[in-house]
C-alpha cells in the first residue's frame, strides 16, 4: 500500500469545519454537528460493547463447567448484572441513537438536528454514565449484583451498609442515561416533525426515519415510568421508605410493573431502528423497491402502540392474577402481526431481485433469519402455559439474545458497513467484512442456539453453578461466546485500517437511492448546499425517476 | 407455466408440512420427563407451537434461501430488478393469516391454562376468574386416606423448608419435598426475605414467591421418581445453590415416610449456601464482595443429607 | 476563540434562520412536557394501587390530612396561572413594566405556595418513613414542589432577563416555555389535590 497518494490521506475528510487543522480532534470536542455526534456515539458505545463482551466471556468461562469454580459467586452475579446493563445502556441504546443522529437529518434533508446543543449535551452524558457504572467496581461491596432488572427486595439488600454502594451508583447511572435518552427523543421527534425538507411528506420519508420516530416515541412515554420506579427504589435504599419493602407493607411486584412498562417497549426502541436498517439495506442490494412501503412504515407505529400494553408477559410467573396473564397473552401475541408484515415484506422485496451479497446485505439477511427464529420463540414465550415452564430459564436468554444479538447487533453491523463510505469517505475491505460476518454468524448460532434446549430442560438463568446434565449445551454456548469475542477483531481491524487508508469512496458507491447518497462522502458540515426538494417516494429502484427536483444545487461539486 | 408454479407450491407445502409435523414430534424429547398432569398439557401445546413455528421458519427462510441462490446479480449486471412496489391481495393475506393464527394460539393457550388451574396468585388480589372449565386432573384428596391439608413451602436465602401437618397435628419439617403420586397437591408458598421462584422442570410448573404473602399453588404429580426443585427467581449471592429434591412416591410410601419423619428428632440439614459461605470464611480463599450471609442450615425432622459427602438417607 | 467555532456559529445561525426556531422550540417543549407528565402519571398510578390494596393505609395515630390550608394554597397556585397569562399578554404588547409586575406577582404566589407547603410539612405528625402513606404523600408533594421551585426559578431568570435591553425583541420563547411549564405544574397539582386531599 505504499503507492497511496499523499492527498488521499488528508483527502475529503476535512469536515465538519472546513479548514480545521486537526480534524480528528473534533471528535473529542463539544461539537454540535449531528454527524460528529453520531460518530461519537457509535465509537463510544462500541468501546462499551467490548467491555460488556468481556463480562460475557467471564460469564461463559464460569459456565463452561457445572461447578462455580472460576470466579466468586458475588463476582459472577456482578458480571451478569453489569453485562446486561452495559450492553443495554451503554451499547445498544447509544449506538442506535448514534446511527439515527447521523442518518435522520441527512435522510429528511435537514442541515442538522432541531436542537444541536441539546444533542451534544445528550451525547456527553453517555461517558458520564459509563464512568459511574465502571466506578461501582471500586466501591465497598462492589457493583450492583441484583441483575439489570434490580428487582427489590434483593436490590434493597445492602450488605455493606454504606450509602454509596454499587446499587445506588447503578441507579444514578441509569437515571442519567434516561435523561440523556429523553433529551435525544425530544430532539428526534422535533427534528422529524419540523425539519423535513420541502416535499418530504411523511409518506416520502425512508422507513428508517419512520422507525426512529416510532422508537423515540416509546422513549418519551416509557422512560418516565422507569424513572418513577427508579426514584422510589432509590428512596427505599437511601432514606428507608417502604415503597417496595415487603416487611413494612411495600409491594415489590409494583416495581416490576414500573420496570417492565418501560423495559419491554425498550426492546422495540432497539429493534425498530434495526427494522428500519433492514428496510433500507435490502432494497439497495436487491435492486427492488421495498415491498409495501406504506404498510411497512405504518406498522412501526402500530408496534409502538402495542408495545405499551404487553409488559405483563414478563411477569406471568410472578405475582399476577390469572385474568391479567390471559389479557396480556392476547396483546403480546398481537404484536406478531405488524412484525410479521415487515418480515413478509422484506422477503417479498428480495424475491425476484438482483441480489449482490456484499457484507451489509449478508448481515441484513442473516439478521432477518435470526429475527424470524426469535419471533417464533417469542410467540412460544407469549403463551402463558409454555412460559410458566420456561420463564426465567435459558430459553428466555436464548430468545432475547437472538433478538438483541442475532437481530439488533447484526442490523447495527449491516448499517455500519453500509454507511461507512458515507461517514468516512472510504471503502471498507470486503474480504475482512466477509470474514467478520461468518465468524459472527457461526458464533451467534453456537452461542445462543444451545440456550434453547438447555432452557427447555429447566436450567434457570443467572446461575453460577448448575446440574451436570446441562453441561454439554453450556460447553457449546461457551465456545460460541469466545468465538463472538474473536469475531470483533477483524471488524476493528477493518474499520481502523479502512478509515486510515481505505480506498476513496464516491458519493454513492452502492448506487443507492436516498438523499444522503446525493451529496459528497463524507458530507460537508451543513449537509446540503441548498435544501433538496423531494419529488418521489423512496426506494424507486428500477423506476428511473428523480428523487429530487434540484439535484444540481445540492452540493458544491456533484460527482 | 402457471401449472408448474402451482405444482411447485403444493409440493413445497407438503414437504414443509411433513418437516413441521416431524419437528413437532421431536419437541417432546427436548423436555425432562413428564411428571405431572400439567406437563402433558404443556408439552402438547409446545409441540403444536413447534410444528407451526417450523412451518413459518422454513417457509420464510426457504424463500430467502431460494432468492439468494437463484436471484443473484451477475458480476457485471448493474441493472435493477422489476419495480414491484406491493400487492394488496398478498398484503391482506399475510395480515389476516397471522391474526387468525394468533387467535388460535392464544385460544388454545387459554384453554390449557384453564385446565391446569394452578390457581396460585389469583387469591392474592381477591379477583376470581369465573371457572369456565373443571380442572380435569383434580382428584379428591381423601382417596387413599391422605390428609387433605396443605404442605407449606418456606423459601429463604438460601434454603427450601417444607412443612407437613404431622399425624398428631405437629409441624413436620423436611428439606426434601415428598409428594404422593396421582393426588392433587396443594402448596402454600411463602418467603422469609426476598422473591424466590418455585420451579420443578419435570412438572413444567413455576410460581414466584413473594414475601409477606401466601400463595396457593396446585398441581398433580403423575410419575414416581426424584426430580429437582430450583429457585427460579434470582434471589442473591447463592441463588444457584438453592435447589432441593422432589420425591414423588406411592401413597403408601408417602404415608410411611411422613410417619418416619415425624418420629425423628430435628437436626441441622446440609445447606450448600451456608456450607460454601463458612468454608470461604474459614479458608480465606479468594473472597468476592460482601454478601448477605446465608441463613444457618435449617433444623428439620427429615434431612436427606447432613454433610456434603453423607450418603443419601 | 478559534475560527472553527466562528464557522460553527455561522452554520448554526443559518440553520436557525431557515427553520423557525421559536416554533421548533415550542414543539420540543410540548413534547418534553408530555413526557414529563408520564412520571407524574406513574406516581399517581402507584399511589392509587397502594391506597386501594394496602391493608393498614394510615399510620398509627394519623387521622388524615387537614384540607383547609392546602385549599387556600391551591387557590393561590391556580390563580397564579391566570396572573402569568396576563404577564404574557403585556409582553406581547411590548409593555415591559406591566410584564414585570405580573411576573413578580406570579413569583410571589408561587413562593407563597411553597411556604404554605413547608408549613404544612412542619405540622404533620408522620414522616417519609411512616409506611406507604407517609412515603407516597411526601413523594408526590415533594416531587411536585420541586417542579414549583423550578417554575419560580425560571420566572426569576425571565424577570432578570427583562432588564437586558432588547432581550425579548427577537423571540419570547423563554417566557412562553416558562408560562407553559407553570400551567403544567398547576394541572398536576389539581389532580394531586384531588388524589391526596379530596379522596381520603
Amino acid at each position: 500500500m505504499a503507492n497511496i497518494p499523499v492527498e488521499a490521506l488528508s483527502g475529503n475528510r476535512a469536515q465538519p469545519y472546513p479548514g480545521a487543522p486537526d480534524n480528528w480532534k473534533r471528535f473529542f470536542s463539544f461539537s454540535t454537528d449531528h454527524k460528529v455526534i453520531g460518530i461519537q456515539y457509535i465509537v463510544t458505545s462500541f468501546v462499551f460493547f467490548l467491555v460488556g463482551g468481556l463480562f460475557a466471556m467471564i460469564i461463559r468461562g464460569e459456565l463452561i463447567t457445572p461447578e462455580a469454580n472460576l470466579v466468586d459467586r458475588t463476582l459472577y452475579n456482578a458480571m451478569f448484572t453489569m453485562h446486561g446493563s452495559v450492553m443495554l445502556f451503554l451499547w445498544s441504546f447509544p449506538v442506535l441513537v448514534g446511527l439515527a443522529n447521523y442518518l435522520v437529518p441527512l435522510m429528511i434533508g435537514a442541515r442538522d438536528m432541531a436542537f444541536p446543543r441539546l444533542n451534544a449535551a445528550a451525547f456527553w452524558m453517555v461517558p458520564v454514565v459509563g464512568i459511574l457504572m465502571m466506578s461501582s467496581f471500586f466501591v465497598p461491596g462492589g457493583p450492583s449484583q441484583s441483575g439489570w432488572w434490580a428487582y427489590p427486595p434483593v436490590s434493597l439488600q445492602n450488605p455493606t451498609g454504606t450509602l454509596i454502594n454499587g446499587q445506588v451508583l447503578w441507579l444514578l447511572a441509569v437515571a442519567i442515561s434516561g435523561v440523556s435518552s429523553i433529551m435525544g427523543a425530544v430532539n428526534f421527534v422535533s427534528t422529524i416533525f419540523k425539519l423535513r425538507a420541502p416535499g418530504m411528506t411523511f409518506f416520502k420519508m425512508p422507513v428508517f426515519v419512520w422507525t426512529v420516530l416510532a422508537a423515540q416515541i416509546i422513549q418519551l412515554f416509557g422512560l418516565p415510568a422507569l424513572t418513577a420506579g427508579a426514584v422510589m427504589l432509590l428512596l427505599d435504599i437511601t432514606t428507608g421508605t417502604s415503597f417496595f419493602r415487603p416487611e413494612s407493607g411495600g409491594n415489590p411486584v409494583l416495581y416490576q410493573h414500573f420496570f417492565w412498562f418501560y423495559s419491554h417497549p425498550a426492546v422495540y426502541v432497539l429493534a425498530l431502528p434495526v427494522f428500519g436498517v433492514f428496510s433500507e439495506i435490502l432494497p439497495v442490494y436487491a435492486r427492488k423497491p421495498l415491498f409495501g412501503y406504506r404498510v411497512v412504515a405504518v406498522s412501526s407505529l402500530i408496534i409502538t402502540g402495542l408495545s405499551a400494553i404487553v409488559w405483563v408477559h414478563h411477569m406471568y410467573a410472578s405475582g399476577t392474577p390469572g385474568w391479567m396473564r390471559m389479557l396480556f397473552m392476547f396483546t403480546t401475541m398481537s404484536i406478531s402481526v405488524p412484525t410479521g408484515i415487515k418480515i413478509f415484506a422484506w422477503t417479498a422485496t428480495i424475491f425476484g431481485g438482483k441480489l449482490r451479497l456484499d457484507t451489509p446485505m449478508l448481515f441484513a439477511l442473516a439478521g432477518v433469519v435470526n429475527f424470524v427464529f426469535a419471533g417464533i420463540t417469542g410467540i412460544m414465550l407469549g403463551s402463558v402455559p409454555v412460559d410458566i415452564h420456561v420463564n426465567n430459564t435459558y430459553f428466555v436468554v436464548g430468545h432475547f439474545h437472538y433478538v438483541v444479538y442475532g437481530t439488533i447487533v447484526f442490523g447495527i453491523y449491516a448499517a455500519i458497513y453500509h454507511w461507512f463510505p458515507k461517514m468516512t469517505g472510504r471503502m471498507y475491505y470486503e474480504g475482512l467484512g466477509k470474514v467478520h460476518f461468518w465468524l459472527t454468524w457461526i458464533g451467534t448460532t453456537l452461542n445462543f442456539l444451545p440456550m434453547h434446549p438447555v432452557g427447555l430442560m429447566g436450567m434457570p438463568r443467572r446461575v453460577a453453578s448448575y446440574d451436570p446434565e446441562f453441561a454439554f449445551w453450556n460447553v457449546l454456548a461457551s465456545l460460541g461466546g469466545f468465538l463472538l469475542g474473536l469475531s470483533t477483531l477483524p471488524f476493528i481491524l477493518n474499520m481502523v485500517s479502512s478509515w486510515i487508508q481505505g480506498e476513496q469512496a464516491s458519493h454513492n458507491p452502492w448506487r443507492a437511492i436516498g438523499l444522503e447518497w446525493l451529496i459528497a462522502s463524507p458530507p460537508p458540515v451543513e449537509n446540503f448546499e441548498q435544501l433538496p426538494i423531494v419529488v418521489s417516494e423512496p426506494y424507486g429502484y428500477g423506476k428511473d425517476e428523480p428523487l429530487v427536483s434540484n439535484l444540481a444545487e445540492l452540493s458544491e461539486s456533484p460527482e | 407455466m402457471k401449472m408448474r408454479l402451482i405444482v411447485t407450491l403444493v409440493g413445497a407445502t407438503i414437504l414443509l408440512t411433513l418437516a413441521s409435523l416431524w419437528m413437532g414430534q421431536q419437541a417432546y424429547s427436548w423436555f425432562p420427563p413428564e411428571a405431572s398432569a400439567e406437563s402433558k398439557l404443556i408439552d402438547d401445546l409446545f409441540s403444536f407451537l413447534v410444528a407451526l413455528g417450523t412451518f413459518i421458519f422454513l417457509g420464510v427462510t426457504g424463500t430467502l434461501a431460494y432468492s439468494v441462490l437463484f436471484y443473484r446479480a451477475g458480476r457485471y449486471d448493474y441493472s435493477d430488478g422489476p419495480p414491484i412496489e406491493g400487492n394488496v391481495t398478498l398484503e391482506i393475506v399475510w395480515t389476516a393469516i397471522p391474526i387468525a393464527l394468533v387467535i388460535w394460539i392464544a385460544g388454545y393457550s387459554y384453554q390449557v391454562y384453564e385446565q391446569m388451574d394452578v390457581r396460585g396468585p389469583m387469591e392474592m388480589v381477591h379477583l376470581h376468574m369465573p371457572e369456565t372449565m373443571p380442572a380435569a386432573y383434580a382428584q379428591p384428596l381423601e382417596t387413599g386416606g391422605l390428609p387433605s391439608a396443605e404442605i407449606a413451602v418456606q423459601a429463604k436465602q438460601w434454603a427450601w423448608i417444607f412443612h407437613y401437618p404431622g399425624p398428631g397435628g405437629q409441624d413436620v419439617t423436611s428439606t426434601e419435598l415428598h409428594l404422593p403420586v396421582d393426588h392433587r397437591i396443594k402448596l402454600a408458598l411463602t418467603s422469609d426475605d426476598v422473591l424466590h421462584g418455585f420451579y420443578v422442570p419435570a412438572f413444567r410448573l413455576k410460581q414466584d414467591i413473594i414475601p409477606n404473602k401466601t400463595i396457593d399453588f396446585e398441581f398433580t404429580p403423575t410419575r414416581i421418581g426424584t426430580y429437582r426443585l430450583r429457585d427460579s427467581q434470582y434471589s442473591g449471592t447463592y441463588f444457584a445453590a438453592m435447589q432441593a429434591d422432589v420425591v414423588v412416591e406411592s401413597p403408601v410410601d408417602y404415608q410411611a415416610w411422613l410417619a418416619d419423619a415425624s418420629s425423628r428428632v430435628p437436626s441441622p440439614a446440609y445447606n450448600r449456601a451456608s456450607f460454601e459461605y463458612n468454608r470461604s470464611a474459614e479458608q480465606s480463599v479468594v473472597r468476592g464482595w460482601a454478601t448477605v450471609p446465608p441463613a444457618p442450615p435449617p433444623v428439620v425432622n427429615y434431612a436427606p443429607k447432613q454433610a456434603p459427602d453423607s450418603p443419601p438417607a | 476563540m478559534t475560527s472553527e467555532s466562528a464557522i460553527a456559529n455561522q452554520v448554526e445561525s443559518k440553520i436557525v434562520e431557515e427553520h423557525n426556531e421559536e416554533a421548533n422550540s415550542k414543539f420540543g417543549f410540548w413534547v418534553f412536557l408530555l413526557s414529563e407528565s408520564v412520571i407524574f402519571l406513574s406516581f399517581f398510578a402507584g399511589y392509587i394501587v397502594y391506597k386501594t390494596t394496602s391493608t393498614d393505609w394510615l399510620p398509627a395515630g394519623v387521622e388524615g390530612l387537614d384540607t383547609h390550608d392546602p385549599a387556600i394554597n391551591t387557590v393561590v397556585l391556580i390563580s397564579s396561572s391566570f396572573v402569568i397569562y396576563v404577564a404574557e399578554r403585556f409582553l406581547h404588547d411590548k409593555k415591559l413594566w406591566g410584564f414585570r409586575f405580573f411576573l413578580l406577582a406570579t413569583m410571589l404566589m408561587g413562593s407563597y405556595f411553597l411556604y404554605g407547603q413547608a408549613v404544612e410539612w412542619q405540622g404533620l405528625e408522620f414522616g417519609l418513613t411512616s409506611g406507604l402513606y407517609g412515603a407516597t404523600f411526601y413523594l408526590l408533594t415533594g416531587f411536585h414542589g420541586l417542579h414549583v421551585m423550578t417554575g419560580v426559578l425560571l420566572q426569576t431568570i425571565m424577570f432578570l432577563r427583562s432588564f437586558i435591553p432588547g432581550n425579548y425583541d427577537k423571540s419570547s420563547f423563554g417566557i412562553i416555555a416558562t408560562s407553559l411549564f407553570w400551567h403544567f405544574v398547576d394541572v398536576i397539582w389539581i389532580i394531586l389535590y384531588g388524589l391526596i386531599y379530596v379522596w381520603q
Side-chain angles (χ1 to χ4, degrees):
Chain A
M1 291 305 234
N3 57 352
I4 286 182
V6 182
E7 300 85 67
L9 290 171
S10 58
N12 202 0
R13 291 179 288 141
Q15 270 89 30
Y17 310 134
D22 306 299
N23 74 59
W24 56 269
K25 279 189 185 163
R26 69 188 189 266
F27 292 110
F28 297 89
S29 70
F30 193 84
S31 171
T32 54
D33 182 340
H34 74 97
K35 298 182 290 300
V36 174
I37 295 174
I39 291 172
Q40 283 175 325
Y41 265 115
I42 293 169
V43 174
T44 311
S45 51
F46 189 78
V47 171
F48 284 109
F49 181 47
L50 297 179
V51 173
L54 197 69
F55 295 162
M57 283 195 274
I58 294 173
I59 294 173
R60 287 316 324 169
E62 172 65 77
L63 293 180
I64 205 162
T65 57
E67 282 305 310
N69 45 13
L70 181 70
V71 292
D72 185 83
R73 285 184 192 270
T74 55
L75 186 74
Y76 179 85
N77 296 341
M79 279 303 127
F80 76 68
T81 302
M82 295 313 273
H83 166 70
S85 310
V86 166
M87 286 304 198
L88 284 165
F89 297 113
L90 290 166
W91 156 246
S92 310
F93 284 118
V95 75
L96 287 163
V97 168
L99 272 177
N101 231 305
Y102 196 95
L103 293 172
V104 165
L106 289 174
M107 284 179 161
I108 61 171
R111 297 201 194 283
D112 204 321
M113 298 282 283
F115 312 112
R117 288 193 189 86
L118 188 73
N119 200 16
F123 163 71
W124 281 104
M125 287 184 172
V126 174
V128 176
V129 173
I131 290 167
L132 267 179
M133 284 257 185
M134 293 305 124
S135 65
S136 67
F137 277 91
F138 304 102
V139 296
S144 163
Q145 290 156 40
S146 57
W148 81 276
W149 309 344
Y151 272 12
V154 169
S155 56
L156 297 175
Q157 292 186 317
N158 178 7
T160 55
T162 50
L163 183 64
I164 301 297
N165 56 57
Q167 192 65 52
V168 167
L169 288 177
W170 184 89
L171 276 168
L172 288 178
V174 170
I176 295 174
S177 152
V179 172
S180 161
S181 297
I182 289 283
M183 285 159 69
V186 168
N187 213 342
F188 279 117
V189 172
S190 304
T191 306
I192 295 170
F193 270 92
K194 290 290 185 179
L195 258 55
R196 277 170 288 126
M200 176 64 84
T201 58
F202 276 100
F203 281 116
K204 289 206 179 76
M205 290 196 314
V207 170
F208 182 74
V209 181
W210 275 92
T211 55
V212 168
L213 179 66
Q216 297 299 324
I217 291 174
I218 293 178
Q219 295 282 44
L220 289 170
F221 74 71
L223 258 175
L226 178 73
T227 310
V231 166
M232 290 157 91
L233 193 65
L234 193 64
L235 285 174
D236 273 6
I237 299 175
T238 52
T239 66
T241 52
S242 52
F243 293 111
F244 306 130
R245 280 184 194 280
E247 68 270 23
S248 33
N251 184 352
V253 179
L254 187 64
Y255 173 85
Q256 302 178 8
H257 284 288
F258 279 129
F259 181 81
W260 288 115
F261 181 76
Y262 170 62
S263 296
H264 185 77
V267 179
Y268 298 102
V269 175
L270 304 176
L272 279 165
V274 168
F275 297 162
V277 167
F278 293 155
S279 308
E280 296 303 316
I281 289 180
L282 295 176
V284 176
Y285 297 87
R287 312 310 303 170
K288 265 184 71 197
L290 181 64
F291 196 92
Y293 155 66
R294 285 173 183 237
V295 182
V296 173
V298 171
S299 67
S300 313
L301 288 179
I302 296 175
I303 292 176
T304 297
L306 288 175
S307 76
I309 49 168
V310 298
W311 76 94
V312 174
H313 66 229
H314 292 268
M315 302 163 61
Y316 284 158
S318 179
T320 44
W323 63 267
M324 203 186 260
R325 295 177 180 183
M326 291 301 116
L327 182 69
F328 280 87
M329 174 166 76
F330 277 93
T331 57
T332 299
M333 290 191 174
S334 66
I335 281 214
S336 64
V337 177
T339 44
I341 288 174
K342 284 182 192 284
I343 289 173
F344 297 136
W346 295 328
T347 312
T349 302
I350 68 162
F351 190 82
K354 299 209 167 182
L355 272 64
R356 214 168 271 281
L357 297 183
D358 294 315
T359 310
M361 183 63 163
L362 288 175
F363 271 109
L365 284 173
V368 172
V369 170
N370 287 339
F371 180 61
V372 174
F373 185 76
I376 288 163
T377 53
I379 287 285
M380 293 170 177
L381 287 166
S383 164
V384 175
V386 174
D387 186 68
I388 295 271
H389 173 51
V390 292
N391 182 297
N392 273 350
T393 66
Y394 260 88
F395 190 81
V396 178
V397 181
H399 160 74
F400 74 73
H401 277 92
Y402 257 84
V403 178
V404 290
Y405 206 108
T407 310
I408 293 168
V409 174
F410 272 55
I412 292 167
Y413 278 141
I416 290 177
Y417 281 109
H418 181 65
W419 281 289
F420 184 83
K422 184 49 66 184
M423 292 178 180
T424 63
R426 305 278 174 167
M427 295 304 289
Y428 63 85
Y429 299 112
E430 192 60 49
L432 270 178
K434 293 225 164 79
V435 170
H436 174 219
F437 167 74
W438 286 108
L439 282 181
T440 309
W441 203 14
I442 295 168
T444 302
T445 310
L446 200 57
N447 194 350
F448 305 126
L449 196 62
M451 290 181 176
H452 295 84
V454 87
L456 290 174
M457 287 164 72
M459 175 170 166
R461 67 192 288 192
R462 300 181 163 173
V463 290
S465 56
Y466 53 83
D467 285 337
E469 66 206 78
F470 305 132
F472 170 71
W473 296 111
N474 275 291
V475 170
L476 286 188
S478 291
L479 293 179
F482 301 139
L483 195 60
L484 278 186
L486 198 68
S487 76
T488 55
L489 297 181
F491 175 70
I492 297 170
L493 180 68
N494 199 352
M495 293 296 112
V496 172
S497 58
S498 335
W499 202 344
I500 293 172
Q501 54 169 25
E503 189 191 323
Q504 291 268 353
S506 71
H507 71 294
N508 188 4
W510 310 121
R511 299 176 298 122
I513 295 175
L515 293 181
E516 78 270 31
W517 300 108
L518 299 177
I519 51 174
S521 305
V525 188
E526 65 274 42
N527 297 346
F528 303 95
E529 188 68 11
Q530 224 180 62
L531 287 185
I533 299 162
V534 183
V535 293
S536 28
E537 281 191 5
Y539 318 114
Y541 296 96
K543 295 209 296 185
D544 203 26
E545 62 183 13
L547 183 64
V548 295
S549 64
N550 56 343
L551 182 58
E553 285 96 55
L554 289 190
S555 57
E556 280 171 349
S557 53
E559 281 164 68
Chain B
M1 188 60 210
K2 188 116 187 165
M3 194 60 205
R4 211 179 128 184
L5 181 74
I6 292 171
V7 170
T8 320
L9 278 180
V10 170
T13 312
I14 290 171
L15 271 179
L16 275 186
T17 313
L18 289 176
S20 307
L21 290 175
W22 183 79
M23 273 299 264
Q25 283 312 304
Q26 293 306 301
Y28 288 98
S29 67
W30 303 337
F31 286 108
E34 273 178 1
S36 74
E38 289 75 13
S39 62
K40 177 92 183 67
L41 294 168
I42 291 175
D43 290 2
D44 288 345
L45 173 61
F46 186 77
S47 160
F48 163 72
L49 290 176
V50 167
L52 204 61
T54 308
F55 189 87
I56 295 168
F57 183 79
L58 291 181
V60 173
T61 54
T63 316
L64 289 176
Y66 183 85
S67 310
V68 166
L69 289 176
F70 299 109
Y71 292 119
R72 292 276 275 280
R75 199 179 171 132
Y76 300 105
D77 177 8
Y78 287 106
S79 63
D80 286 345
I84 303 163
E85 293 191 303
N87 180 325
V88 178
T89 322
L90 201 55
E91 284 166 52
I92 290 173
V93 166
W94 72 41
T95 310
I97 290 181
I99 290 176
L101 281 182
V102 159
I103 293 172
W104 185 16
I105 296 171
Y108 182 12
S109 304
Y110 178 83
Q111 225 175 357
V112 169
Y113 187 71
E114 283 287 282
Q115 268 184 316
M116 283 161 60
D117 196 28
V118 283
R119 247 178 60 176
M122 259 185 249
E123 304 204 336
M124 286 181 34
V125 286
H126 310 288
L127 274 167
H128 247 286
M129 190 158 53
E131 286 199 13
T132 51
M133 233 171 286
Y137 297 88
Q139 273 197 28
L141 277 169
E142 283 71 30
T143 54
L146 290 166
S148 62
E150 283 186 343
I151 302 168
V153 177
Q154 180 193 2
K156 61 179 173 182
Q157 282 175 321
W158 288 269
W160 294 102
I161 302 164
F162 309 99
H163 300 259
Y164 293 81
Q170 80 274 38
D171 178 29
V172 181
T173 53
S174 163
T175 52
E176 195 172 68
L177 180 61
H178 282 247
L179 302 171
V181 73
D182 287 333
H183 281 75
R184 194 76 179 159
I185 305 295
K186 287 186 181 176
L187 299 180
L189 310 174
T190 56
S191 163
D192 286 6
D193 34 46
V194 297
L195 298 173
H196 294 280
F198 179 92
Y199 177 36
V200 184
F203 295 164
R204 317 279 188 277
L205 291 177
K206 182 180 290 125
Q207 174 59 48
D208 280 10
I209 310 176
I210 295 154
N212 247 5
K213 295 249 157 82
T214 302
I215 296 175
D216 295 319
F217 198 59
E218 286 188 17
F219 56 93
T220 313
T222 54
R223 186 174 178 274
I224 289 173
T226 303
Y227 312 102
R228 244 335 174 201
L229 162 65
R230 298 195 176 93
D231 187 1
S232 61
Q233 185 59 273
Y234 178 66
S235 59
T237 309
Y238 294 96
F239 163 65
M242 193 165 155
Q243 307 199 68
D245 278 341
V246 182
V247 179
V248 178
E249 52 203 354
S250 69
V252 178
D253 290 347
Y254 170 75
Q255 295 286 34
W257 171 81
L258 190 58
D260 169 54
S262 58
S263 66
R264 291 193 187 205
V265 183
S267 62
Y270 166 66
N271 178 273
R272 189 161 158 196
S274 175
F275 172 75
E276 276 189 32
Y277 180 77
N278 290 327
R279 186 183 57 180
S280 58
E282 281 161 17
Q283 298 177 344
S284 74
V285 288
V286 188
R287 294 216 61 179
W289 287 292
T291 169
V292 176
V299 178
V300 290
N301 297 82
Y302 181 83
K305 265 179 164 186
Q306 256 88 25
D309 45 3
S310 64
Chain C
M1 287 297 274
T2 57
S3 60
E4 266 196 23
S5 57
I7 298 168
N9 283 336
Q10 202 187 323
V11 167
E12 239 177 53
S13 59
K14 205 165 158 191
I15 292 163
V16 168
E17 274 163 33
E18 267 168 28
H19 302 279
N20 182 349
E21 195 194 24
E22 190 177 308
N24 292 350
S25 305
K26 218 169 131 184
F27 181 87
F29 198 73
W30 265 105
V31 172
F32 167 75
L33 281 186
L34 284 176
S35 178
E36 185 78 357
S37 65
V38 179
I39 298 193
F40 280 105
L41 286 180
S42 311
F43 284 145
F44 294 157
Y47 176 83
I48 293 167
V49 168
Y50 282 134
K51 187 164 160 57
T52 49
T53 60
S54 185
T55 43
D56 31 23
W57 174 240
L58 289 174
V62 176
E63 291 297 311
L65 289 162
D66 172 39
T67 52
H68 182 258
D69 290 353
I72 298 174
N73 244 342
T74 307
V75 172
V76 171
L77 189 69
I78 292 170
S79 345
S80 72
S81 243
F82 295 97
V83 179
I84 202 171
Y85 176 72
V86 176
E88 228 182 322
R89 293 317 302 169
F90 269 105
L91 184 68
H92 185 258
D93 300 338
K94 304 281 176 212
K95 291 176 183 153
L96 268 185
W97 284 106
F99 165 69
R100 284 178 198 141
F101 175 78
F102 281 97
L103 190 62
L104 197 63
T106 317
M107 284 156 60
L108 288 174
M109 291 166 97
S111 309
Y112 174 80
F113 175 86
L114 285 174
Y115 168 76
Q117 187 118 55
V119 170
E120 192 197 357
W121 279 21
Q122 287 272 301
L124 292 174
E125 65 258 44
F126 60 89
L128 183 63
T129 50
S130 309
L132 288 171
Y133 183 76
T136 47
F137 173 81
Y138 284 104
L139 177 72
L140 284 172
T141 54
F143 198 67
H144 177 264
L146 274 180
H147 281 73
V148 177
M149 225 184 275
T150 313
V152 174
L153 195 72
L154 286 174
Q155 289 157 11
T156 314
I157 294 170
M158 290 305 127
F159 182 75
L160 295 178
R161 272 174 50 179
S162 76
F163 290 99
I164 303 170
N167 182 59
Y168 290 113
D169 287 356
K170 257 199 336 216
S171 157
S172 51
F173 168 69
I175 188 67
I176 293 173
T178 306
S179 167
L180 203 57
F181 187 75
W182 198 244
H183 300 320
F184 167 75
V185 167
D186 266 10
V187 171
I188 295 291
W189 178 257
I190 294 170
I191 304 171
L192 212 159
Y193 186 80
L195 280 178
I196 292 187
Y197 292 96
V198 179
W199 182 38
Q200 290 217 26

